[in-house]
Amino acid sequence: SSAFEGQWVQNIVNQWGLAQSGGQRYYILDNEHSLWHGTHRDVHPNGAPMEEVRDTILNYAAAIKGVDPGALIVGPEEWGWSGYLFSGADQQYGSINGWSYLPDRASHGNMDYVPWLLQQLKLDGRHLLDVFTLHYYPQSGEFSNDVTTAMQQMRNRSTRSLWDPNYTDQSWINDKVRLIPRLRGWADTYYYPGTPIGITEYNWGAEGHINGATTQADILGIFGREKVGRYQYVQTH
């Protein structure tokens, strides 16, 4: 429960002090909520609807801030393209029944999932989310050890999905992802303008090959040029 987690935060503060005094600065709110029905199917077999994630974010963020008001809350940490647009409830439903009608989305004015979350967090009025973050995994097989010429060229191209408004992603996404401008636009439109953004998990693969190294260098350069406020590299999955 959030009360139990609040005790953990209190223990951290007791050990290292408040965030504003050099203690723990960031708290990331869980991980990839819209995949819980798959990754945590033993305890959460049903896809999480929009309200559940909103209420959980507000509940746990308030518990953290109640102990350490200067701590920075980071989220919602959704996994990728489908997780930006569709709740876990709709992703589960769509995978079984098809994607032409998604009941959770339909009951929320057909809004994209993450913008709806941001709008609801702003309506709460407490400004509990400090850094707006998502994950991103390219979907053409880049996060693998494939170093064929075709895949190396795909890695080189697909980083454009992070920023280029004219680049159509060549995977099943088949859309202009423009992820960094998208995050910034969503934050400015639905939350608080100027909110720091971050891409806290990603992987373009081939980490033992020069192609993976040059791709990673390109990504870090993009983050710097585009002034991404908060990010870290994490290898997962």
Side-chain angles (χ1 to χ4, degrees):
S1 68
S2 59
F4 181 80
E5 294 298 330
Q7 295 175 31
W8 278 99
V9 177
Q10 185 63 64
N11 186 66
I12 291 171
V13 169
N14 291 345
Q15 184 73 27
W16 290 289
L18 295 168
Q20 64 184 14
S21 302
Q24 177 67 28
R25 190 177 184 192
Y26 298 102
Y27 290 85
I28 296 178
L29 294 179
D30 215 279
N31 185 64
E32 302 181 345
H33 315 85
S34 71
L35 296 181
W36 281 347
H37 59 281
T39 58
H40 297 73
R41 57 191 176 275
D42 54 335
V43 294
H44 204 293
N46 297 318
M50 295 187 185
E51 279 84 2
E52 178 184 354
V53 176
R54 176 200 63 194
D55 294 346
T56 304
I57 288 174
L58 292 173
N59 190 15
Y60 281 77
I64 295 166
K65 295 273 193 180
V67 176
D68 191 349
L72 298 177
I73 307 298
V74 179
E77 296 288 298
E78 269 302 344
W79 73 270
W81 184 250
S82 296
Y84 310 158
L85 307 179
F86 311 126
S87 69
D90 277 343
Q91 288 182 64
Q92 186 178 44
Y93 181 93
S95 68
I96 297 170
N97 301 289
W99 299 88
S100 60
Y101 172 76
L102 299 172
D104 199 24
R105 183 183 179 92
S107 66
H108 293 85
N110 286 312
M111 278 193 72
D112 292 336
Y113 169 51
V114 167
W116 182 88
L117 272 181
L118 290 174
Q119 183 184 73
Q120 292 292 302
L121 295 177
K122 184 174 184 179
L123 287 171
D124 172 74
R126 289 176 288 177
H127 201 159
L128 293 173
L129 184 71
D130 298 294
V131 185
F132 170 39
T133 58
L134 297 174
H135 300 172
Y136 187 70
Y137 286 88
Q139 295 294 301
S140 294
E142 293 93 332
F143 58 97
S144 68
N145 292 318
D146 185 349
V147 291
T148 61
T149 298
M151 183 54 68
Q152 290 190 51
Q153 292 172 345
M154 178 63 74
R155 281 194 188 91
N156 293 341
R157 289 194 300 271
S158 62
T159 60
R160 304 186 76 87
S161 285
L162 291 170
W163 65 274
D164 189 347
N166 298 310
Y167 179 76
T168 299
D169 190 88
Q170 297 174 29
S171 72
W172 58 265
I173 293 174
N174 192 32
D175 203 344
K176 294 178 171 64
V177 176
R178 42 184 294 278
L179 184 59
I180 295 169
R182 183 181 296 273
L183 263 70
R184 193 161 282 125
W186 279 347
D188 289 348
T189 302
Y190 298 102
Y191 197 53
Y192 295 94
T195 297
I197 62 169
I199 301 169
T200 44
E201 192 178 306
Y202 65 91
N203 195 330
W204 258 259
E207 293 173 318
H209 190 275
I210 187 61
N211 179 237
T214 56
T215 302
Q216 177 64 27
D218 183 32
I219 293 165
L220 293 175
I222 291 167
F223 286 168
R225 185 192 65 201
E226 301 297 317
K227 298 181 172 60
V228 175
R230 302 287 184 267
Y231 60 85
Q232 69 183 82
Y233 174 60
V234 181
Q235 179 186 359
T236 66
H237 305 311

